[in-house]
Amino acid sequence: MKLFSETLNTSIIKPISVLDIPNTGENYVAIDLSETNTVLDQVDVSSSEKFSQYIESYLTSNKADVAFGGYLEPRNIYKRSLHFNQEDNLTERNIHLGIDLWCSAGTAVQAALDGEVHSFKNNTNFGDYGPTIILKHQVAGIEFYTLYGHLSLESIENLKEGEKVKQGECIAALGEPKVNGDYPPHLHFQIIKDLQGSEGDYPGVSNIRDLDFYMTNCPDPNQLLGLY
């Protein structure tokens, strides 16, 4: 797996954009949605409307177009959904495995690298990804995948598995809360080495028990995005 990380770091020209919003260095701002951010105690994150108001206010106050962050961030926002909650703290999934990029619904999503459509699916559990696309890539002889979640329904209507895509090509658009799992509009972007047989879906949130595996199988997407 060390070879995989080295390939990401040495064989790909970076930074890479996955949104059709050029990063000027000032219009992308980091956001903390972790369980330690006490500001969120005053926000009803179980309501997509109230949560969206918080994100919009954060972008406005920072004069930004995109708020980003979340890799390995423990979050309380998943407590609202039975999709993530289990019987104890070891099996409750609350540690985020991708980077989220929060911006407007309808924002165009771009392929991170040349590749092909591996699979796609509308993951309709409450708090899930909603429409999701997984691309397969080959770089320096190594095969891996990138996942794009919380898309619009139109994004997956005319897709075909095996369809070729070019780096920077528009492959989707961000969905609204009513279709994206009931979140403020954003892109969940994740790198995956081994899909473990999954199609159109892969865990984007881990529990503490399985975190070591997922940290290895899903390295920091910032290796490609170069946001921090």
Side-chain angles (χ1 to χ4, degrees), residues 207-225:
N207 55 43
I208 190 65
R209 181 189 61 192
D210 300 326
L211 185 58
D212 285 347
F213 167 76
Y214 283 116
M215 287 173 60
T216 301
N217 199 44
C218 302
D220 188 350
N222 198 54
Q223 292 183 73
L224 299 183
L225 301 182

Side-chain angles (χ1 to χ4, degrees):
M1 201 60 68
K2 181 180 179 181
L3 181 60
F4 178 42
S5 293
E6 290 177 350
T7 297
L8 294 179
N9 285 321
T10 62
S11 300
I12 298 171
I13 298 174
K14 300 175 285 291
I16 283 168
S17 177
V18 289
L19 293 177
D20 187 22
I21 301 178
N23 183 356
T24 68
E26 297 179 352
N27 64 330
Y28 277 59
V29 61
I31 189 170
D32 178 7
L33 297 177
S34 72
E35 61 187 11
T36 60
N37 182 0
T38 56
V39 173
L40 293 178
D41 294 342
Q42 311 303 317
V43 180
D44 181 6
V45 295
S46 67
S47 163
S48 59
E49 181 179 359
K50 298 290 180 61
F51 194 6
S52 293
Q53 289 172 358
Y54 173 75
I55 297 294
E56 291 167 7
S57 175
Y58 188 87
L59 289 170
T60 299
S61 63
N62 284 278
K63 299 179 181 179
D65 298 313
V66 179
F68 66 85
Y71 182 65
L72 300 187
E73 191 171 68
R75 293 173 167 177
N76 286 328
I77 62 176
Y78 305 115
K79 292 184 181 296
R80 65 187 185 135
S81 172
L82 293 176
H83 181 58
F84 299 102
N85 289 302
Q86 303 294 329
E87 295 177 355
D88 56 61
N89 290 334
L90 291 179
T91 54
E92 177 186 352
R93 295 193 294 135
N94 68 340
I95 304 171
H96 193 248
L97 298 173
I99 281 182
D100 285 335
L101 298 110
W102 306 84
C103 53
S104 300
T107 298
V109 176
Q110 300 173 334
L113 300 161
D114 291 353
E116 65 180 59
V117 177
H118 171 270
S119 53
F120 53 93
K121 181 182 176 183
N122 187 8
N123 297 287
T124 58
N125 292 302
F126 178 66
D128 209 335
Y129 289 129
T132 307
I133 297 173
I134 296 177
L135 301 183
K136 180 170 69 174
H137 310 281
Q138 289 269 358
V139 174
I142 294 179
E143 184 175 280
F144 64 98
Y145 306 85
T146 53
L147 182 150
Y148 310 76
H150 308 294
L151 309 175
S152 67
L153 284 172
E154 293 79 7
S155 299
I156 61 174
E157 281 182 349
N158 299 310
L159 274 186
K160 294 181 180 179
E161 292 184 2
E163 183 176 335
K164 303 296 183 182
V165 297
K166 289 290 187 181
Q167 182 179 13
E169 178 182 345
C170 176
I171 59 168
L174 297 187
E176 297 180 348
K178 63 182 179 181
V179 300
N180 78 356
D182 198 54
Y183 293 100
H186 71 288
L187 174 68
H188 173 99
F189 177 68
Q190 186 169 334
I191 301 171
I192 305 164
K193 178 63 175 73
D194 181 3
L195 278 174
Q196 302 177 278
S198 296
E199 294 190 357
D201 188 19
Y202 191 80
V205 182
S206 175
N207 55 43
I208 190 65
R209 181 189 61 192
D210 300 326
L211 185 58
D212 285 347
F213 167 76
Y214 283 116
M215 287 173 60
T216 301
N217 199 44
C218 302
D220 188 350
N222 198 54
Q223 292 183 73
L224 299 183
L225 301 182
L227 295 171
Y228 53 81

